[in-house]
């Protein structure tokens, strides 16, 4: 391997030395716990967050009830029940859809898609006229998307039309994620947990270090085992 | 079909069956949230009135109140919905529910709805803090500690909205105990809470010493704010924190323990942040805030100019998409920065924004016109610009139009600018005369408003400065002598001073003297004398100075005019003025003596008589004393005068020649 071949020019750090250096870095346990809690809360693992709160005495920083709501709203979109999702978001915080024009449009678009998927074409047509069409007048920036969505009503077999992507499950996921991020933002929370980013930073830092030194690496993030390269 | 369904839902709002009513409330709410068109449909069906009725109903349960409040809040998020909500007293009932409900969910829904009202309203809503509603403040304060999403933020926003209504409301908010929890929110991990608290503190501290001092009692405030202007998450956060600091810095004790807790220290810390934010394309009125900061401090104006604020403000003026309040702020800020400094005026002209400023003079909104006028006034103080660039634009007409407006403040600013433009070397002077400037100024000199009288007279005196005889004739024509007499007795010292300046400028140059004497029915010298005598030593140096130059100008003329001075009762007064504490007054008095003792056109005999009369008044002793004067100019003039007296004594009258005309 290339790394091994170049090893001669690089600084070599033994396992013992590495361990000693690691021990010198002090990371407060509370900080670690907060990172974990942040992950549980953001990803919506309410039960785990509750247990973790009890065991580690780390404050979740948000109302855990709201997480349940958020998860159920996401689930509703993922399972195609957009109407229920809209109602629950409005119960949670009416401002989210009052102010988020684009998000609301995407939800309405999804609603239309679901009606078409269920073959309720008359309802779909009425919904498009009553709710979607006026949005184009108020928000011209949505017009193009709006026309594309309305075209769904034209094709007999949407699945084989150029608009097939809209009917895909991935579209549901996209809408669900957008809504989830908006709810998190309304609660002043990041849309992404901090942990994945920290791990990305770890990988990046190791890559930088690989250029200069041979040291015990973390190759497997799941086990976080230190792997000493270069035949030590 | 949809229309029928909507009507049915609205009808069900009055249903006896509470479950059916609740369901209708929910449906309508979900229909209107985020849907402007649906709101319009329901407004036409009078749904808002029925929703408010639910809020007002004593039998409505918590679930119904939550839905009704959310629906009303959604209607209030659109302009037409807000009108309907206000019309049906929806805000009043929301506030009642907010104040008196014991149900957490109901209170939350109500505060969000009230916030929606505040957010949509362009102007502060009267109902929010009419005295009966003040009872809601303790409830709002308690909600600042709510952990539920957006509730603390909503409450802070409503409190900020209250504060915008005026001092009394600001004080009531502080008394209700809002300061402490708002300060606590500044340290929140959630930036939306921080931002809401910043906005509320900015509104609370705006122009109010008492509430500012309340806020400053919390030791952590300044460090939180200083942190926020540097590390604030968004430009908006940094801006609002800067506004807080600008407000607070005006009420902080001058002797802080550390540099950053003194007014100057804080202001110097905020200044670069605001100047930098001028570059950010944000809707907030950054120029207005910067203007508030530098308005009263030459030092901060200089610092802002050094940080290149003028170029940035000019860039804003060139961006046509900017909201009127931002443009207005930029004009005001430029007015402050150019008020005393030629370099900055030059920069404005070089940035080619003069046409924008001129256009703003005729803008539809009064505050904009006023701001443009202030800016133009600062620019018109530059003699270089008056000779050049300002002559190329049509200024006289829009400025004269502003003078005719009802607003005294704006009219005064416009007159101040016109007065600057009216001086002789100005290229705008021609424009001004072409637009009947003399008649308009003369009309203002008759105004009941002291400030307009002042500027009217001031404008005329500028027009008269070095003017052609026809212009002076026009002034005499439009301002009858009786008006001059009245103005010389004006209650305002400044008006008296400027009318004296007018007389001085009118008299300037010998060829005008006869015309002025005719205008005054030969009462000019007496009138000037009376003003000085009436003021019994309390006259301002400026007034005396101008009055003395009336005499100096007269005495520079023919023997007959000199004799008129001698007969007017002025000589004893002149000798007396030689002892005045102001050096310019002493100098002017010596000039008058020099001119009176100067012989020309073979009037040696008359001159000898005048000298004799002055000697009897003790003029020689006074002049000798002035040879030791601390002011060099006075000293030299006194020597000249004495030389002239001595020369006359020796019979010769042709070796010293000095005559003053100013």
């Amino acid at each position: 391997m290339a790394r091994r071949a170049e090893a001669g020019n690089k600084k070599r750090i033994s396992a013992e030395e590495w361990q000693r250096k690691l021990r010198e870095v002090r990371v407060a346990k509370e900080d670690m716990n907060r990172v974990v809690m942040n992950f549980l809360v953001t990803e919506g693992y309410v039960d785990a967050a509750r247990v973790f709160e009890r065991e580690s005495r780390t404050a979740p920083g948000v109302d855990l009830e709201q997480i349940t709501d958020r998860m159920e709203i996401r689930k509703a979109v993922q399972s195609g029940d957009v109407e229920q999702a809209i109602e629950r978001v409005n119960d949670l915080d009416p401002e989210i859809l009052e102010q988020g024009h684009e998000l609301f449009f995407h939800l309405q678009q999804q609603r239309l898609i679901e009606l078409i998927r269920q073959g309720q074409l008359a309802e779909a047509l009425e919904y498009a006229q009553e709710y979607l069409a006026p949005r184009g007048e108020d928000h011209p920036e949505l017009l193009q998307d709006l026309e594309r969505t309305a075209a769904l009503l034209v094709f007999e077999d949407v699945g084989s039309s150029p608009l097939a992507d809209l009917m895909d499950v991935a579209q549901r996921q996209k809408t669900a994620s957008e809504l989830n991020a908006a709810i998190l933002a309304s609660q002043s929370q990041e849309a992404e947990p901090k942990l994945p980013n920290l791990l990305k930073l770890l990988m990046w830092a190791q890559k930088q270090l690989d250029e200069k030194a041979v040291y015990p690496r973390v190759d497997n993030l799941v086990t976080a085992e230190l792997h000493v390269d270069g035949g030590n | 079909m949809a229309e029928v369904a909507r009507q049915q839902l609205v009808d069900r709002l009055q249903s006896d069956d509470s479950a059916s009513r609740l369901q209708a409330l929910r449906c309508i709410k979900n229909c209107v949230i985020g849907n402007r068109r649906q709101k319009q449909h329901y407004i036409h069906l009078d749904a808002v009135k029925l929703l408010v009725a639910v809020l007002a109903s004593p039998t409505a349960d918590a679930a119904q109140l939550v839905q009704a409040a959310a629906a009303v809040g959604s209607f209030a998020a659109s302009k037409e919905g807000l009108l309907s909500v206000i019309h049906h007293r929806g805000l009043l009932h929301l506030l009642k529910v907010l104040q008196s409900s014991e149900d957490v969910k109901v209170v939350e829904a109500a505060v969000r709805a009230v916030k929606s009202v505040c957010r949509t309203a362009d102007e502060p809503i009267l109902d929010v803090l009419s005295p009966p509603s003040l009872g809601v403040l303790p409830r709002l304060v308690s909600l600042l500690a709510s952990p539920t999403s957006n509730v603390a933020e909503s409450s802070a926003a409503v409190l900020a909205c209250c504060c915008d209504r005026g001092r009394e409301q600001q004080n009531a908010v502080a008394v209700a105990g809002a300061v402490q929890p708002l300060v606590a929110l500044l340290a929140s991990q959630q930036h939306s809470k921080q931002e809401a608290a910043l906005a509320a503190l900015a509104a609370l501290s705006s122009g109010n010493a008492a509430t500012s001092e309340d806020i400053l009692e919390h030791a952590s405030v300044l460090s939180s704010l200083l942190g926020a202007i540097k590390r604030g998450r968004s430009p908006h956060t940094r801006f609002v924190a800067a506004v807080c600091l600008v407000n607070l810095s005006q009420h902080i004790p001058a002797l802080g323990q550390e540099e950053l807790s003194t007014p100057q220290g804080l202001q110097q810390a905020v200044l670069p942040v605001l100047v930098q934010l001028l570059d950010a394309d944000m809707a907030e009125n950054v120029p207005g805030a910067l203007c508030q900061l530098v308005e009263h401090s030459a030092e901060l104006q200089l610092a802002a100019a050094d940080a290149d604020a003028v170029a940035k403000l000019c860039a804003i003026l060139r961006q046509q998409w900017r909201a009127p309040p931002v443009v207005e702020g930029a004009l005001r800020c430029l007015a402050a920065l150019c008020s005393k400094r030629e370099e900055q005026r030059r920069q404005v002209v070089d940035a080619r924004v003069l046409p924008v400023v001129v256009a703003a003079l005729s803008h539809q909104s009064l505050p904009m016109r006023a701001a443009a006028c202030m800016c133009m006034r600062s620019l018109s103080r530059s003699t270089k610009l008056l000779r050049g660039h300002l002559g190329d634009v049509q200024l006289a007409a829009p400025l004269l139009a502003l003078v005719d407006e009802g607003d005294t403040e704006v009219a005064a600013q416009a007159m101040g600018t016109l007065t600057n433009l009216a001086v002789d070397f100005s290229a705008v002077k021609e424009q001004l005369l072409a637009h009947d400037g003399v008649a308009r100024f003369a009309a203002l000199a008759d105004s009941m408003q002291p400030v307009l009288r002042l500027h009217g007279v001031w404008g005329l005196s500028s027009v008269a400065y070095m003017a052609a005889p026809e212009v002076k004739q026009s002034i005499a024509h439009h301002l009858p002598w009786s008006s001059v007499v009245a103005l010389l007795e004006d209650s305002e010292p400044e008006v008296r001073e400027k009318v004296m300046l007018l007389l001085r400028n009118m008299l300037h140059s010998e060829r005008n003297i006869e015309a002025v004497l005719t205008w005054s029915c030969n009462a000019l010298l007496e009138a000037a004398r009376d003003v000085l005598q009436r003021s019994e030593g309390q006259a301002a140096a400026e007034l005396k100075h101008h009055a003395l130059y009336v005499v100096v100008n007269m005495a520079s003329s023919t023997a007959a005019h000199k004799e008129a001075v001698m007969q007017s009762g002025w000589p004893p007064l002149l000798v007396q003025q030689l002892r005045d504490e102001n050096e310019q007054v002493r100098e002017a008095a010596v000039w008058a003596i020099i001119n009176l003792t100067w012989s020309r056109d073979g009037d040696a005999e008359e001159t000898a008589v005048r000298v004799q009369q002055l000697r009897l008044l003790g003029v020689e002793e006074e002049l000798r004393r002035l040879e030791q004067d601390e002011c060099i100019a006075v000293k030299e003039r006194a020597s000249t005068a004495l030389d002239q007296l001595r020369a006359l004594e020796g019979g010769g009258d042709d070796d010293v020649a000095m005559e003053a005309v100013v």
Side-chain angles (χ1 to χ4, degrees):
Chain A
M1 278 158 75
R3 222 164 49 207
R4 200 164 294 184
E6 288 168 14
N9 305 331
K10 292 180 188 169
K11 190 175 178 188
R12 196 167 269 284
I13 303 167
S14 71
E16 296 75 40
E17 199 186 346
W18 191 250
Q19 285 293 355
R20 191 168 50 75
K21 281 185 187 290
L22 283 183
R23 273 195 298 275
E24 280 169 18
V25 183
R26 286 181 198 281
V27 178
K29 184 143 190 165
E30 292 75 27
D31 288 344
M32 302 256 271
N33 286 345
R34 270 203 284 272
V35 171
V36 172
M37 183 56 102
N38 168 271
F39 177 78
L40 296 176
V41 164
T42 314
E43 289 292 301
Y45 299 112
V46 183
D47 294 339
R50 268 205 191 97
V51 176
F52 190 66
E53 180 185 15
R54 200 170 54 238
E55 288 179 356
S56 70
R57 297 195 185 161
T58 304
V62 287
D63 186 353
L64 289 177
E65 283 307 315
Q66 288 182 3
I67 301 182
T68 317
D69 285 335
R70 179 162 56 86
M71 287 304 111
E72 283 179 11
I73 290 166
R74 176 145 87 172
K75 221 179 287 167
V77 179
Q78 282 166 343
S79 62
D81 192 350
V82 183
E83 198 177 0
Q84 203 214 353
I86 291 177
E87 286 179 14
R88 296 199 64 151
V89 177
N90 287 342
D91 284 341
L92 192 64
D93 183 351
E95 207 171 285
I96 295 173
L97 298 184
E98 190 75 73
Q99 306 293 333
H101 302 299
E102 209 176 313
L103 165 68
F104 192 27
F105 171 73
H106 289 149
L107 279 172
Q108 291 179 315
Q109 184 187 33
Q110 192 66 43
R111 172 102 209 267
L112 185 73
I113 291 167
E114 301 302 343
L115 285 172
I116 292 169
R117 200 195 307 278
Q118 290 153 24
Q120 298 179 296
L121 291 183
E123 286 85 346
L125 193 62
E126 199 195 325
Y127 187 79
Q129 281 170 344
E130 182 75 10
Y131 290 97
L132 278 170
R135 301 202 72 79
E137 290 170 38
D138 294 344
H139 303 283
E141 72 276 10
L142 299 177
L143 265 180
Q144 209 181 349
D145 264 355
L146 182 66
E147 283 165 8
R148 211 169 109 82
T149 315
L152 284 173
L153 290 162
V154 178
F155 292 97
E156 244 172 63
D157 177 17
V158 183
S160 59
S161 77
L163 305 172
D165 60 310
L166 287 177
M167 300 301 291
D168 200 86
V169 186
Q171 180 71 21
R172 277 185 181 171
Q173 287 297 350
K174 210 172 122 189
T175 311
S177 297
E178 192 185 348
L179 180 56
N180 188 54
I183 297 172
L184 282 168
S186 81
Q187 297 166 352
S188 278
Q189 293 184 61
E190 306 287 337
E192 300 285 334
K194 294 186 192 309
L195 192 55
N197 243 344
L198 284 173
L199 293 178
K200 278 185 204 154
L201 273 174
L202 169 71
M203 300 312 280
W204 179 83
Q206 288 197 139
K207 219 171 145 201
Q208 297 291 307
L209 195 56
D210 285 343
E211 312 267 317
K212 298 182 180 118
V214 178
Y215 60 96
R217 289 179 103 252
V218 175
D219 285 342
N220 183 341
L221 282 176
V222 178
T223 60
E225 222 172 334
L226 288 174
H227 179 78
V228 185
D229 213 29
N232 204 354
Chain B
M1 222 181 83
E3 191 66 27
V4 178
R6 276 194 290 270
Q7 185 63 59
Q8 283 170 353
L9 279 175
V10 173
D11 291 343
R12 277 167 58 195
L13 288 177
Q14 290 170 294
S15 161
D16 291 335
D17 175 16
S18 78
S20 169
R21 211 158 60 226
L22 179 62
Q23 205 188 11
L25 282 166
R26 260 184 81 85
C27 278
I28 293 176
K29 177 196 80 172
N30 284 319
C31 275
V32 295
I33 287 180
N35 276 315
R36 199 169 71 86
R37 206 56 56 92
Q38 294 291 325
K39 286 186 180 70
Q40 287 170 342
H41 291 320
Y42 280 102
I43 289 168
H44 290 142
L45 296 175
D46 237 359
V48 176
K49 182 176 154 192
L50 297 174
L51 289 168
V52 174
V54 173
L55 287 176
S57 156
T59 57
D61 60 22
Q64 287 178 17
L65 288 175
V66 168
Q67 299 301 325
V72 170
S74 174
F75 276 106
S78 74
K79 292 264 184 255
E80 55 261 74
L82 179 64
L83 286 178
S84 182
V85 168
I86 300 287
H87 175 71
H88 294 295
R89 297 165 65 78
L91 181 57
L92 199 73
H93 287 291
L94 278 176
L95 288 168
K96 277 190 183 157
V97 169
L98 175 58
Q99 184 178 342
S100 54
S101 175
E102 293 305 322
D103 186 286
V104 181
K105 292 278 173 204
V106 173
V107 170
E108 286 175 5
V111 75
R112 282 175 172 151
V114 176
K115 181 209 170 180
S116 172
V117 171
C118 293
R119 188 214 284 262
T120 313
D122 287 331
E123 294 158 17
I125 310 269
L126 290 174
D127 289 13
V128 175
L129 270 185
S130 50
S133 309
L134 285 170
V136 81
L137 291 179
R139 175 51 65 83
L140 285 169
V141 169
S142 72
L143 288 176
L144 290 173
S146 163
T148 312
S149 78
N150 287 3
V151 170
E153 288 92 322
S154 298
S155 174
V158 175
L159 287 168
C161 181
C162 295
C163 291
D164 287 341
R165 289 216 44 217
R167 181 178 299 268
E168 198 185 323
Q169 284 77 10
Q170 288 173 318
N171 294 341
V173 168
V175 168
V179 176
Q180 203 278 326
L182 284 174
V183 171
L185 280 181
L186 285 183
S188 164
Q189 295 290 320
Q190 296 177 20
H191 70 269
S192 63
K193 288 200 166 62
Q194 269 181 41
E195 273 190 10
L198 282 171
L201 287 170
L204 183 60
S205 58
S206 173
N208 188 324
T211 52
S212 294
E213 281 158 17
D214 280 355
I215 295 170
L216 284 165
E217 275 179 21
H218 295 267
S220 65
V221 164
L222 289 182
S223 59
S224 295
L225 292 173
L226 286 166
I229 57 168
K230 290 200 191 77
R231 293 181 296 276
R233 195 181 145 100
S234 64
H236 175 78
T237 312
R238 295 198 292 280
F239 171 68
V240 183
V243 170
C244 285
L245 282 172
V246 171
N247 292 344
L248 295 177
S249 70
Q250 287 159 356
H251 304 291
I252 201 169
L255 296 166
Q257 287 166 345
E258 299 158 42
E259 200 205 339
L260 277 178
S261 54
T262 62
Q264 295 77 19
L266 283 179
Q267 287 161 351
Q268 294 285 2
V270 181
L271 187 107
V273 176
L274 281 175
V275 173
Q276 200 186 17
L277 285 172
L278 289 175
D279 286 334
D281 288 343
M282 51 200 291
E284 292 82 350
N285 191 353
V286 182
L290 182 62
C291 181
Q292 196 198 338
L293 178 64
V294 303
E295 223 166 10
H296 303 296
S297 157
E299 199 183 330
L300 289 168
Q301 285 165 17
L302 182 61
D306 285 347
D308 214 15
V310 173
K312 291 168 199 266
L313 289 164
C314 289
I316 287 175
L317 287 187
R318 281 196 302 265
Q319 292 163 340
Q320 293 178 351
W321 52 269
R322 292 285 189 175
V326 176
V327 177
E328 185 201 322
L331 288 168
R332 280 181 192 276
C333 200
L334 282 173
L337 296 180
C338 297
S339 136
K340 297 197 180 65
R341 300 176 53 83
E342 185 65 19
E343 197 187 329
Q344 273 65 53
R345 293 174 196 142
R346 190 79 231 167
Q347 241 185 311
V348 171
V349 173
D350 288 346
R352 298 177 188 281
V353 291
L354 212 46
V356 183
V357 183
V358 175
L361 286 174
S362 311
H363 194 269
Q364 55 185 12
S365 101
L366 177 67
M368 183 75 90
R369 293 196 295 274
C373 195
M374 285 173 73
C375 185
M376 199 46 91
R377 187 176 189 179
S378 290
L379 294 175
S380 70
R381 290 187 185 132
S382 158
T383 49
K384 276 189 190 150
L385 291 182
L386 286 176
R387 285 202 172 96
H389 291 272
L390 289 182
D392 302 338
V393 282
Q394 285 300 320
L395 278 175
L399 285 169
L400 283 166
L402 286 179
V403 173
D404 289 340
E405 293 221 28
D407 191 288
T408 310
E409 170 86 7
V410 177
Q413 290 285 351
M415 279 304 297
T417 316
L418 283 167
T419 304
N420 291 341
L421 299 174
V423 293
D424 177 62
F425 45 79
S426 151
V428 196
K429 187 167 190 165
E430 293 302 313
Q431 278 184 34
L432 186 62
L433 294 175
H435 281 92
D436 272 344
V438 171
R440 311 276 285 267
F441 286 180
L444 278 181
D446 259 345
S447 165
M448 297 300 287
Q449 299 273 2
V451 65
L452 294 185
R453 268 199 319 274
L454 171 66
H455 281 99
V457 176
W458 198 342
L460 286 175
S461 68
S462 286
V463 171
Y465 179 70
M466 307 271 276
E470 312 84 72
V471 176
K472 292 191 177 177
Q473 250 168 30
S474 165
I475 293 175
H477 172 72
H478 286 105
L479 190 74
W481 184 252
S482 56
S483 298
V484 176
V485 173
L487 288 165
L488 284 170
E489 292 175 17
D490 200 278
S491 55
E492 300 296 315
E494 272 192 294
V495 174
R496 298 200 295 269
E497 181 211 317
K498 293 303 176 203
V499 74
M500 197 60 90
L501 174 64
L502 169 66
L503 294 182
R504 169 184 171 179
N505 289 345
M506 287 289 278
L507 269 184
H508 179 78
S509 144
E510 200 178 317
R511 60 185 172 152
N512 295 309
I513 292 182
E514 272 310 312
V516 175
L517 286 175
T518 312
W519 177 39
S520 74
C521 316
N522 285 317
L524 172 71
L525 285 167
E526 286 74 14
R529 182 199 64 202
D530 289 350
V531 173
L532 220 62
Q533 283 179 332
R534 253 200 319 272
S535 46
E536 286 287 321
Q538 290 181 356
E542 288 288 318
L543 173 71
K544 286 189 191 172
H545 189 229
H546 300 322
L548 284 168
Y549 269 98
V550 167
V551 179
V552 170
N553 287 342
M554 275 294 279
S556 72
S557 182
T558 59
H561 290 149
K562 290 186 214 248
E563 184 54 25
V565 172
M566 295 308 288
Q567 299 304 321
S568 66
W570 264 103
L573 213 51
L574 284 176
V575 176
Q576 194 186 325
Q577 301 308 314
L578 292 172
R579 286 178 168 266
D580 196 88
E581 57 187 12
N582 183 290
E583 58 193 37
Q584 282 190 316
V585 171
R586 291 198 300 276
E587 193 190 346
V590 182
W591 271 123
I593 303 288
I594 291 174
N595 285 354
L596 285 174
T597 55
W598 169 244
S599 164
R600 65 177 234 190
D601 308 333
D603 66 346
E605 228 170 277
E606 291 95 327
T607 309
V609 176
R610 291 196 301 271
V611 168
Q612 189 53 34
Q613 287 170 342
L614 289 170
R615 278 226 172 92
L616 288 173
L617 292 167
V619 75
E620 214 165 349
E621 296 79 59
E622 290 299 334
L623 288 172
R624 251 185 242 120
R625 203 175 45 77
L626 288 181
E627 276 190 308
Q628 312 302 321
D629 201 273
E630 57 192 16
C631 168
I632 293 175
V634 174
K635 243 159 116 167
E636 285 180 0
R637 295 304 152 261
S639 300
T640 308
L642 281 168
D643 285 349
Q644 227 165 253
L645 287 178
R646 284 184 205 117
L648 281 166
E649 216 167 353
D653 61 357
D654 53 0
D655 50 354
V656 190
M658 262 298 214
E659 192 170 52
V661 182
V662 180

